[in-house]
Every structure is written in C-alpha cells, then in structure tokens.
Amino acid sequence: MAVIPVIVKHQGKRHEVELDPTSTGETFKYQLYSLTGVEPERQKILVKGGQLKDDTDLSTLGAKPGQTIMMMGTPSGDDGAGLFERPKEKMRFVEDMTEAEAARAEGATPAGLINLGNTCYMNSTLQTLRAVPELQEELLRYSGSVFGGSSSRGGFDPSQFSLGGAGTSIDLTASLRDLYKQMSETQQGFEPLVFLNALQTAFPQFAQKSKTGHGLAQQDAEEAWSQIVSQLRQKLKIKDTAVISGSSSTESSTATKKEEEISFIDKYLAGRFESILECDEPSAKEGGEEPVTSEDVFLKLDCHINKDINHLRDGILAGLEEKVEKRSPVLDRDAVYTKKSRIARLPKYLTVHFVRFFWKREAQKKAKIMRKVTFPPELDVVEFCTETLRKQLVPVRDKVREVRKDEEDVTRARKRQKLAHKQEEDRKADGERVLKATGPADEKELVKSKQTEGKMGEKADADTEMVDAVYKTDAEYEAERAALIKAAKKDLFALINQDLAADEGANMSGLYELRGVVTHQGASADSGHYTSYVKKQGALDPKTGKRKEDDGKWWWFNDDKVSEVDADKIDMLSGGGESHSALILLYRAIDLPTAEEVKD
C-alpha cells in the first residue's frame, strides 16, 4: 500500500510527513519524534475518533493526501524533565547525616532558642540579627575569647561558666559568635546561657529580677537590640579598602586605595544624617543667628506614632523633624529650635523602630501605643534622603521598576500565547468532528452551525487575511527572556553611581526588602511576649555560590518553637490591639547586578 503525504501541525509549524497505512501509531509517533524532538510518550495526536494510540492500525484512519493532523506536546527538556541519569554525587539520606549536616541541609528547620525565664525579648532579637549573613561570616573571623585567654571558638569550658557570676568577664561578641555557630549545627531548641550571662555582665539592667521575686524581669527588645548592636560596633572590626583620589581632575586618574580598620556595624548597619538646626523665633534670625549644620551616625530610623500616623512612611517623616530647646547666643535665653534631618548615607541593612512604648507616669510603667501602623514589604526611602543622594539613587530605582514591569509584561504575554495556542488546538481538534444530521433536530442544529461559521468567516475576510500564527516553544521563550534580562541588567549596572558602588555596605537604589520583624504581644514593655519573623533564604546554588529566588515564606521564631508561615501572616503585624504587632523591622537593600553578572 502506497504511503500517504499528510501535514502535521505542531506549535504553529507545519511538518510534511509520509504516513504508511501498513504501520501502527507507535511507528508514526517515532517519525514525528525525529521531526519535532517530542518523545512518543509525550505526544498527543488528534485524529478522527479521538487520540491516536500506539497499537492503532493506520489503515483504519482513512487518511487522505494533504490531510492536516494536529499534534500537541513538548520535548522533555522544556519543562525540566529528562532521561534518567546516574547522579553525579552519591545520594545521602537524612538518617545517615550527623546532626550538624542535617541542620545545614537544604530546607532544614533552623534552631530555636529556649526561654530562660522572660528572655523572649533576647531570643527574638538574636534570631532577627542572625538574618544578616555578613554578620555571621564576620563573627567567625573574630578571634576574641568568651572568658579571656585563648579563643573558645571550639566550645567553652563549663567550669568557667556561672550564670550571673559576679566579676566574671565575658566577651559578648565572642559569645554571640559561638552561639550562632552552635545554632547552625542543630535543629533542636538551644539554651543561650552563655550569651545571656554576657549580656547581663555588659548591661546589668538585663539581670533585674521580676517584681514577684521569681525569675528575671521582662525587658524591652528594642533596648536589647540597641545594646547588642552598640557592643558589636565597638568590638567587631573589619578591614575596609577606601579609595582616595587626588584633589584635582588631573590627579583623579591616580587614585589610590588605602586599607583601614572600621566597625562592621558602621559599614553594613549604620547610616548618616545631615541635619540643620535653626531657631524658630524670627528675632534670632534678624539678630544674625545662622543655622547650624551637622552630621550624625544613626543605627536605626524611628517611626513615631500619634493619632495622625497610619503608615510607616508618615512615622519616619515625623521622626526626621524634631523640636529642641536650647540657649540662643543671640537672644541670650532659651529658645525653641527645629532640627531637620535628611539621610546622606543608606546602609545595606536598615533597622526601623516603631516607637510604641512610652512612660506612663500614673501607672509607673512603659505603656504601649496600640495604634495600627502599616508597613510595606518593599520600602522606598529616596524621599528621606539629601538632594545629592537622591540624584544618585533615582536613576537606579526607576530603572529597577522599569525592568520589573518589562519582566511582568513578558510573562503575561507568554501566558496569553500559551492560552491562545491551546484554544486554537482545541478548536481545530473539535473541527475534526463531523457533524451529521440524523433527524430534524440535528438538521436544524447543523444549518445553524454552518450559518454561524459563515458569518465568522465573512468577518475574518473583511478584517484581514487569516494566517497561521507561529508559537514559540518554552525553550525559545526562555532564551529570549534570558537575553532580555541580561540586556536589562547591563543597562541597570551602567546607571549605578560609582561613588556608591565603591561603598560595599551601602544601598545603591534606595529600595529595601523586608527580611525580619520583631513583634510584641501585650499592653506594656514590662509584660507580654516577644517573637520574631525571618524571611526564608533561597537555596544555595553549589555551582555559582549564589542563592536562588526564595519561595516567599517566613520562619516564625516563638522561642524554641519554630514554624513556617506564609507572607500573609506578616501583613497582620501592623498592630491595632494587644495582639502581635511589629516593634522592629529589618530591611535589606534589594539585589542589583554585579560586574560579573553583566560580563559578556
């Protein structure tokens, strides 16, 4: 029996195939595999009567020369599936791992911290600070000893340890290093005894007993955060390379690099204000009193809360302007001054403090402001900056938003194309069905269907000549998308200000993403309960050493209880009652392309 030339349509392309009526459906599928790359088991071939099966005798199809046959399916490489291969590395099961190896495995639940008696304020603070990977890395390089003498990074001698022991000298930075290392080697709840002793030794306020006389008193997590960060600022020093250029344009080409020792905190978590202090009274200005400019380092931004504050932005703006009473040299008396501050340097990690606690004199305790204040998952701080810094940040920020929009447009277009392709294949598959009239009702339906098709055909002819659409494969789409992203990254990298790029610990776009939240539940700072939320990191790619995109979920640290929660949970931490409300936010500068990523 002679072969029959047919047309097979697949993903908008037409393939001329010789169909052998003496063979089976399986043979025909292998013919198409050689043309399209779609494996036989992944092919869906639509013929009269349904889908072509492997054992179908092709002579029963009644195929005619030039007949069009529809095929659906994609090669296995398009969706990540593929042929079975021998693993390059020997598979290891969790049961075969040590406790430390299991704790470092991808997807492992991080260690919680056991409450030692009203120490939830400390536990939540430590878990959130641990969300700064640069801090963990730098602590491992710190050579100080917890109890003095030689370094104790290999562990500590219990005989040297006595909780609350008088006169015991304990290095808080070294104890934090050891604590984080020990936490990285377990998934169980860990007792931070040594660190608590170090904190109480450095800051005796945290050793206060509760009013009942049983156990420790509850403390303010913000005070613990500030004291720990201030101690790290003094002790944790790093080598930093500063670029020093000549004073003239001719000397700038001979810029030199100088290595200097600076604080880790100053590099990654500290910003700088430029402030103007000016007397409110016109008589002072008329008398010749000039505004005073100054620069100040800040370790956190305060979000002040009052009846008019509903959003984080409003609270930060309120905190950048304050009234100060001081003596005026011109008026020779005390006067009210206004201090206006703007940010001249943005750190890579930005801490924001909701000022929710205030001293209530009649109750003799720190009361809590319950008002709901919303905060965004991505914070734009450009408007809080000096004019000079704004000019450096705005081009990068706007380009980031443009690139994101382009990526969203490409993704939406791809979804529309896939939907249109599927609809076309379904429509053509339905077209293979022959409507036969078997009675008056069917005859009437057939006439109606043909009339509808005729009208649609006339409209199509009037509008434009119909042509076969060409649909891209997933592989072609991904290649185009990768090229688009690469070009966008190059454009974005070219816009980064070089002065900012030279400061490794600075934010170069003015945009921050939320990475950690310390929350408080209760009505006052001296009671209630603290917990923390830390956004999960993406899996580490062993080939590139970089982290993949995260899944958007968060770890909730409730002392030694650790659970995974959705991002929706974070939206519920804005306050408005005694339930968990955000007290401290930790933001991280968004990632920008590096020179390595944009290299050809």
Side-chain angles (χ1 to χ4, degrees), residues 263-444:
S263 165
F264 171 88
I265 297 297
D266 284 347
K267 182 171 183 177
Y268 288 102
L269 281 90
R272 188 177 76 255
F273 281 136
E274 285 185 3
S275 306
I276 298 177
L277 183 67
E278 190 172 14
C279 185
D280 289 357
E281 298 188 30
S283 54
K285 300 175 185 177
E286 294 166 1
E289 185 170 332
E290 296 290 332
V292 178
T293 59
S294 62
E295 289 191 358
D296 304 290
V297 172
F298 69 87
L299 300 177
K300 59 182 173 64
L301 292 181
D302 286 330
C303 174
H304 290 271
I305 303 174
N306 57 40
K307 61 181 180 63
D308 299 318
I309 303 299
N310 297 307
H311 190 268
L312 178 64
R313 170 194 173 274
D314 306 325
I316 292 177
L317 275 177
L320 293 176
E321 185 172 317
E322 60 178 319
K323 297 294 183 181
V324 179
E325 188 174 340
K326 64 184 287 288
R327 189 166 188 81
S328 168
V330 172
L331 302 177
D332 196 28
R333 60 176 172 81
D334 287 348
V336 177
Y337 287 72
T338 298
K339 183 178 182 180
K340 296 181 180 179
S341 301
R342 286 293 178 266
I343 301 173
R345 181 194 185 261
L346 287 169
K348 182 173 183 178
Y349 291 90
L350 179 68
T351 304
V352 181
H353 168 223
F354 285 99
V355 187
R356 289 195 175 276
F357 299 130
F358 68 99
W359 182 252
K360 199 169 185 177
R361 188 176 301 175
E362 57 269 26
Q364 288 294 296
K365 67 177 182 179
K366 279 186 177 180
K368 183 178 179 181
I369 300 173
M370 305 289 189
R371 186 175 182 83
K372 180 178 180 179
V373 181
T374 59
F375 54 91
E378 182 173 274
L379 180 64
D380 181 354
V381 297
V382 171
E383 66 174 310
F384 310 138
C385 300
T386 62
E387 186 65 30
T388 300
L389 184 54
R390 276 204 299 267
K391 289 179 180 178
Q392 296 172 332
L393 298 173
V394 167
V396 180
R397 180 199 64 181
D398 292 349
K399 185 64 178 178
V400 167
R401 289 174 173 170
E402 180 186 326
V403 170
R404 287 176 178 172
K405 184 178 182 302
D406 289 344
E407 287 186 348
E408 289 173 0
D409 290 344
V410 168
T411 302
R412 279 196 293 266
R414 175 59 176 166
K415 288 180 179 177
R416 286 196 299 269
Q417 186 199 54
K418 279 191 170 184
L419 179 61
H421 188 197
K422 182 178 182 302
Q423 290 174 339
E424 181 182 340
E425 289 189 331
D426 290 344
R427 187 167 57 249
K428 290 182 178 179
D430 291 341
E432 296 291 328
R433 178 174 52 87
V434 179
L435 184 61
K436 295 182 179 179
T438 59
D442 286 349
E443 182 70 36
K444 187 176 180 180

Side-chain angles (χ1 to χ4, degrees), residues 217-262:
Q218 180 66 283
Q219 301 287 342
D220 186 344
E222 187 277 326
E223 290 182 4
W225 179 288
S226 296
Q227 298 289 32
I228 292 170
V229 169
S230 68
Q231 189 78 353
L232 291 173
R233 190 182 182 205
Q234 294 176 30
K235 301 282 287 187
L236 194 60
K237 304 292 183 180
I238 59 176
K239 297 291 184 181
D240 189 56
T241 302
V243 179
I244 305 174
S245 58
S247 58
S248 67
S249 59
T250 56
E251 293 173 329
S252 61
S253 61
T254 59
T256 59
K257 292 184 178 181
K258 179 184 177 183
E259 193 176 74
E260 56 184 3
E261 190 176 69
I262 65 168

Side-chain angles (χ1 to χ4, degrees), residues 145-198:
S145 170
V146 175
F147 297 101
S150 59
S151 172
S152 64
R153 277 185 285 184
F156 68 90
D157 181 358
S159 64
Q160 293 179 296
F161 173 65
S162 166
L163 185 57
T168 305
S169 175
I170 303 180
D171 187 334
L172 184 143
T173 303
S175 64
L176 182 61
R177 173 201 64 210
D178 291 355
L179 174 63
Y180 281 167
K181 184 176 185 297
Q182 290 158 343
M183 289 173 67
S184 71
E185 296 172 349
T186 183
Q187 292 180 274
Q188 305 300 317
F190 192 83
E191 291 189 342
L193 288 168
V194 179
F195 184 83
L196 177 60
N197 200 19

